[in-house]
């Protein structure tokens, strides 16, 4: 049987797929709802922390996928076959440089991430909270004996250490709301480039 696509050679076709990560954002929203409705403060804080981690994971996934797509298209337009390893090597490792690079590419360098804007500052706070939740190694105290408080009981010296503080105890429901809200609205704004509605005002960006 003769193929309807005679002469078509799939080996000559470059396929670039940029996947959306809506499912990850949906999980963050579900965790937020659970945190809001939970009556236990301890459990609610756990859910708040989980919401932040998942919301920030969504942002990383989304920005990396979009950047990979843009880089691959650029390489392909130059007549070279894009290599996934090569594409990924061009993506910055740190979170905010990723955001800055994607904005520069999409806006042709006309817009920058404005760190003076409240939404950008809140997004940075959520990123720092996420990093502390994931990487915080707890309290580390360094110093000599004279740097700490001592007492003596029956001639036996006792060392008094400060109460260790955990980032989990600092969390509140507003942190979870902010993480979901700003993670979602960031890409909503990116998708408006370069429409008039985007030019009219931005939560995160400023024109150069």
């Amino acid at each position: 049987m003769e193929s309807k696509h005679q002469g078509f050679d799939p080996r000559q076709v470059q396929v670039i797929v940029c996947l959306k990560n809506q499912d990850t954002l949906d999980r963050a929203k579900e965790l937020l709802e659970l945190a809001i409705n939970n009556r236990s403060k301890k459990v609610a804080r756990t859910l708040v922390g989980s919401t932040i981690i998942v919301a920030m994971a969504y942002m990383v996934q989304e920005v990396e996928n979009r950047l990979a797509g843009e880089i691959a298209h650029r390489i392909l337009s130059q007549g070279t076959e894009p290599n996934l390893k090569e594409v990924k090597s061009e993506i910055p490792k740190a979170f905010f440089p990723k955001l800055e690079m994607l904005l520069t590419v999409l806006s042709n360098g006309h817009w920058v991430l404005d760190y003076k804007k409240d939404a950008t500052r809140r997004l940075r706070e959520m990123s720092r909270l996420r990093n502390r939740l994931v990487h915080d190694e707890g309290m580390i105290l360094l110093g000599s004996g004279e740097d700490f408080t001592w007492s003596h009981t029956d001639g036996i010296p006792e060392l008094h250490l400060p109460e260790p503080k955990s980032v989990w105890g600092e969390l509140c429901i507003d942190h979870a709301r902010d993480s979901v809200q700003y993670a979602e609205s960031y890409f909503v704004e990116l998708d408006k480039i370069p429409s008039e509605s985007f030019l009219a005002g931005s939560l995160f960006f400023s024109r150069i």
Side-chain angles (χ1 to χ4, degrees):
M1 182 177 178
E2 190 174 339
S3 171
K4 293 181 180 180
H5 304 287
Q6 189 173 7
F8 171 74
D9 186 353
R11 293 172 297 179
Q12 302 301 315
V13 178
Q14 285 289 328
V15 179
I16 302 172
V17 180
C18 181
L19 299 175
K20 296 289 185 179
N21 298 286
Q22 184 63 39
D23 191 53
T24 305
L25 180 60
D26 288 343
R27 299 292 82 74
K29 290 180 178 180
E30 289 173 1
L31 287 166
L32 173 59
E33 283 299 313
L34 290 171
I36 291 172
N37 296 320
N38 199 284
R39 294 182 179 181
S40 166
K41 288 185 178 180
K42 187 175 182 180
V43 174
R45 284 197 183 104
T46 301
L47 291 166
V48 166
S50 301
T51 302
I52 295 169
I53 292 170
V54 175
M56 292 298 100
Y58 158 73
M59 288 202 72
V60 172
Q61 292 169 357
E62 189 71 11
V63 72
E64 286 186 349
N65 280 357
R66 293 188 185 211
L67 268 176
E70 295 293 331
I71 294 169
H73 278 295
R74 188 204 71 220
I75 295 173
L76 188 59
S77 69
Q78 295 170 346
T80 306
E81 292 187 8
N83 176 279
L84 186 57
K85 186 176 180 180
E86 178 188 355
V87 168
K88 288 187 174 182
S89 71
E90 292 193 31
I91 299 176
K93 294 187 181 299
F95 177 58
F96 276 91
K98 286 184 175 76
L99 300 183
E100 293 165 354
M101 182 178 180
L102 181 59
L103 178 60
T104 298
V105 170
L106 295 180
S107 69
N108 293 317
H110 294 146
W111 289 79
V112 293
L113 189 58
D114 190 340
Y115 290 96
K116 295 180 181 179
K117 289 181 177 286
D118 182 66
T120 308
R121 290 198 301 266
R122 294 293 288 164
L123 186 59
R124 174 169 268 185
E125 182 183 346
M126 292 307 100
S127 176
R128 287 170 176 165
L129 265 179
R130 176 266 173 201
N131 289 340
R132 290 177 63 196
L133 288 167
V134 174
H135 301 296
D136 193 355
E137 296 178 354
M139 184 177 66
I140 300 177
L141 298 175
L142 297 175
S144 64
E146 63 184 2
D147 296 322
F148 301 101
T149 303
W150 295 82
S151 66
H152 290 78
T153 302
D154 297 329
I156 300 175
E158 294 181 352
L159 174 62
H160 299 275
L161 297 175
E163 188 72 24
K165 294 182 179 180
S166 168
V167 62
W168 292 91
E170 302 173 17
L171 300 178
C172 67
I173 197 66
D174 285 342
H175 290 136
R177 287 195 180 100
D178 285 354
S179 65
V180 172
Q181 175 188 341
Y182 293 126
E184 184 171 30
S185 58
Y186 186 88
F187 292 103
V188 169
E189 285 206 354
L190 271 185
D191 289 337
K192 292 178 181 178
I193 297 175
S195 69
E196 290 300 320
S197 59
F198 176 76
L199 297 176
S202 169
L203 290 171
F204 303 96
F205 315 129
S206 289
R207 184 144 194 153
I208 296 177

